[in-house]
Amino acid sequence: MTAPPPVPREPVLDRARLGARTLRRDRWWVPPLFTALGLAAFVGYATFRVFQQDHYWVADYHYLTPFYSPCLSAACAPGSAVFGTLPFEFPWFLPYALVSLPFLLLFRFTCYYYRKAYYRAIWQAPPACAVREPHRRYTGESRLPLIGQNLHRYFFYAAVLISLLNTYDALVSFAHGHNGGFGVGLGNLILLGNVILLWCYTLSCHSCRHVVGGRLRSFRRHPLRYRAWTWVSHLNARHMAFAWITLGTLVLTDLYVALVASGTLTDVRLFN
């Protein structure tokens, strides 16, 4: 009895071995390039201003730049320290806003959108769709230091407190007009617009969305939380836009205060 003929097998198709990093022909490198340049420009400007330790306070109208709020060094300009100062002057390598700036930096550094932005633009992991990244291994955010990204939800609470402080700085400036009392100047409007946009960025955070509507099996018994969750969800859809807009408004606000504080510009008064 002869054995049956072998069943022909289909050839095993191996994974394509491409020598090129990508077969894309468009300018896929433009978005990550501009993202890297934009982030680098903000970091460079903010670093210079934070450690300049000058031109951050306009005493006549109580304009305080967000980069120096709250001012805690004993060297802070009189009137700029809302909660008082520590009994010593900070060395040059410590920012005057030593309490708030690290938390704000960590809040943005661990932000879901910013992680996407600098992962692609700086670490190139990956730089674009259908483009091979240069790294041989991928461990995700499962080990140090990237496992610390999970602390973002706690930095959100700190950002809320600091946003409240920035709101106070913006509102109290309206009580210091040119001749005393209520007054409105261009600086007031810039500070107020900046803090409104900062709230939009903070409240559009994914962690805020979870705080408002998370850990619920049904929204039926929680109509108010459902409404709040819906509102935050609308903001969350624009989280990327607010992330970039607030970088611009922070620079604009700080630059205006610096120019007025240094005497380069005179604040435009609209009322009193």
Side-chain angles (χ1 to χ4, degrees):
M1 184 176 181
T2 59
V7 179
R9 297 182 179 181
E10 296 182 359
V12 178
L13 299 179
D14 196 5
R15 187 175 183 179
R17 301 183 182 275
L18 301 178
R21 188 178 181 186
T22 180
L23 297 180
R24 292 179 58 172
R25 297 181 179 273
D26 61 323
R27 297 181 179 179
W28 58 264
W29 47 269
V30 172
L33 174 62
F34 277 99
T35 299
L37 291 177
L39 294 176
F42 176 80
V43 170
Y45 174 86
T47 301
F48 168 74
R49 283 291 291 138
V50 164
F51 293 103
Q52 185 184 19
Q53 299 180 345
D54 197 7
H55 307 317
Y56 56 89
W57 168 250
V58 180
D60 292 340
Y61 309 119
H62 276 232
Y63 293 163
L64 178 64
T65 173
F67 289 160
Y68 285 78
S69 179
C71 203
L72 297 177
S73 173
C76 291
S80 62
V82 177
F83 302 108
T85 62
L86 297 175
F88 57 89
E89 295 185 4
F90 291 177
W92 67 268
F93 55 85
L94 290 181
Y96 282 3
L98 183 62
V99 172
S100 62
L101 289 181
F103 286 103
L104 289 178
L105 176 63
L106 290 171
F107 176 60
R108 293 200 178 239
F109 186 80
T110 58
C111 166
Y112 285 97
Y113 168 70
Y114 284 117
R115 280 147 72 174
K116 167 190 171 183
Y118 65 77
Y119 281 4
R120 292 185 175 184
I122 299 176
W123 291 350
Q124 300 185 18
C129 295
V131 179
R132 187 177 69 237
E133 59 182 274
H135 310 288
R136 295 183 178 179
R137 299 179 58 191
Y138 174 76
T139 59
E141 298 173 344
S142 60
R143 61 181 64 180
L144 290 173
L146 295 184
I147 195 174
Q149 304 281 30
N150 295 317
L151 297 175
H152 177 67
R153 68 193 71 177
Y154 303 108
F155 298 140
F156 162 74
Y157 298 124
V160 169
L161 295 177
I162 297 171
S163 295
L164 290 173
L165 180 59
N166 293 148
T167 303
Y168 173 83
D169 293 335
L171 295 179
V172 76
S173 64
F174 284 95
H176 295 81
H178 184 69
N179 297 317
F182 179 78
V184 180
L186 179 59
N188 295 109
L189 300 181
I190 292 177
L191 287 169
L192 181 61
N194 175 66
V195 79
I196 291 175
L197 290 170
L198 287 178
W199 274 115
C200 289
Y201 169 70
T202 303
L203 297 181
S204 65
C205 171
H206 297 73
S207 295
C208 178
R209 188 168 180 263
H210 177 73
V211 169
V212 173
R215 297 183 179 276
L216 292 178
R217 295 191 177 186
S218 174
F219 281 121
R220 179 176 299 178
R221 298 181 180 179
H222 304 275
L224 294 180
R225 289 187 64 179
Y226 175 72
R227 291 184 181 181
W229 178 82
T230 303
W231 181 75
V232 171
S233 297
H234 287 306
L235 284 178
N236 180 256
R238 297 164 177 81
H239 192 53
M240 179 183 73
F242 289 130
W244 281 106
I245 291 173
T246 50
L247 290 186
T249 58
L250 281 169
V251 171
L252 174 63
T253 304
D254 176 81
L255 182 61
Y256 184 82
V257 173
L259 291 176
V260 174
S262 63
T264 305
L265 291 180
T266 301
D267 185 43
V268 179
R269 304 305 298 174
L270 305 176
F271 176 78
N272 191 12

